[in-house]
Amino acid sequence: MGGVTDQIVPDEIVPDEIVPDQIVPAHEAGRRFAPGADTTSRPDTDTVDALVTAWRRERPDLDVGPLEVLSRVTRLARHLDIARRAAFDRYDLETGEFDVLAALRRSGSPYALSPGRLATETLVTSGTMTNRLDRLERDGLITRAPDPADRRGVIVQLTAAGRDRVDAALSDLLTREEAILAALDESEQRLLAALLRQLTEPFDSL
């Protein structure tokens, strides 16, 4: 998942004026996307339908069809970000810290990578990565040691405590993500994943 929290849908995709203040508060997100929450109701219309109708009335000269897809993607990304932060807060992790631990955990035993590789995997600068590693090492979740293959290099390794922390946070995150997707059955989720893959594929090579 990795950079499991990477934001692939920047706010600039949709102008601010068509994104109403209907973001779920963090405490509400914890309840709404918790196990057993009812996320399966399917209204005939939503706020995106209303804004698209309004833009078609006000700007009939424009094709506002893309808003029907991307406005919903943007809203979903924001709600997902809130749910993720609620999950990570339970384990005293920032989103970026989780990304680092997740990258190490995914790499397999001995769960060790260079800072440069971690920065690449989590799409951050080397300076940002250094700050994250400082905090994680202070909390006993990673260690840093000289790279035996490069005297000038460093290897970052997940500790047992770090592995336990990231495993627990990931389990919580997946539970919340399953709740968000509960309105779709398995075949609908597979179709949506395939369609989103078509949209994101061109950006993966950038």
Side-chain angles (χ1 to χ4, degrees):
M1 272 193 188
V4 68
T5 59
D6 294 344
Q7 293 186 356
I8 62 172
V9 186
D11 292 344
E12 290 83 358
I13 286 180
V14 182
D16 289 342
E17 74 267 21
I18 64 169
V19 181
D21 295 330
Q22 296 185 353
I23 303 302
V24 179
H27 68 279
E28 176 63 22
R31 292 194 297 268
R32 182 173 298 186
F33 303 131
D38 180 12
T39 61
T40 59
S41 59
R42 302 189 183 194
D44 292 333
T45 62
D46 62 9
T47 55
V48 174
D49 291 318
L51 72 86
V52 168
T53 297
W55 278 119
R56 282 178 173 153
R57 181 190 66 242
E58 296 300 318
R59 292 299 308 270
D61 56 311
L62 296 178
D63 177 10
V64 296
L67 298 181
E68 296 195 68
V69 176
L70 296 182
S71 289
R72 290 185 173 96
V73 170
T74 300
R75 283 166 171 73
L76 182 59
R78 292 188 179 188
H79 289 301
L80 178 58
D81 182 60
I82 291 170
R84 285 172 166 168
R85 284 188 277 114
F88 301 152
D89 282 349
R90 293 188 60 193
Y91 301 95
D92 196 25
L93 290 173
E94 297 290 337
T95 298
E97 295 168 349
F98 173 85
D99 286 347
V100 174
L101 298 179
L104 290 168
R105 183 68 172 92
R106 283 196 316 274
S107 70
S109 182
Y111 311 111
L113 295 170
S114 70
R117 175 72 180 275
L118 285 168
T120 299
E121 291 233 356
T122 58
L123 303 176
V124 298
T125 65
S126 59
T128 296
M129 179 54 59
T130 297
N131 291 333
R132 291 178 180 177
L133 294 178
D134 287 344
R135 292 193 298 269
L136 291 169
E137 187 173 39
R138 179 198 64 206
D139 293 341
L141 303 179
I142 62 141
T143 60
R144 283 181 284 193
D147 185 347
D150 181 358
R151 288 183 299 175
R152 296 175 300 175
V154 172
I155 288 294
V156 180
Q157 187 167 20
L158 197 62
T159 64
R163 179 174 173 177
D164 290 344
R165 185 85 64 90
V166 71
D167 281 355
L170 178 62
S171 179
D172 192 323
L173 172 62
L174 290 174
T175 297
R176 295 169 189 269
E177 291 187 344
E178 287 172 0
I180 290 174
L181 292 171
L184 304 179
D185 62 30
E186 289 187 14
S187 63
E188 289 172 326
Q189 290 184 32
R190 287 195 297 270
L191 175 59
L192 178 59
L195 293 173
L196 290 173
R197 185 181 302 112
Q198 286 182 247
L199 288 177
T200 59
E201 186 176 9
F203 300 100
D204 289 341
S205 58
L206 295 180

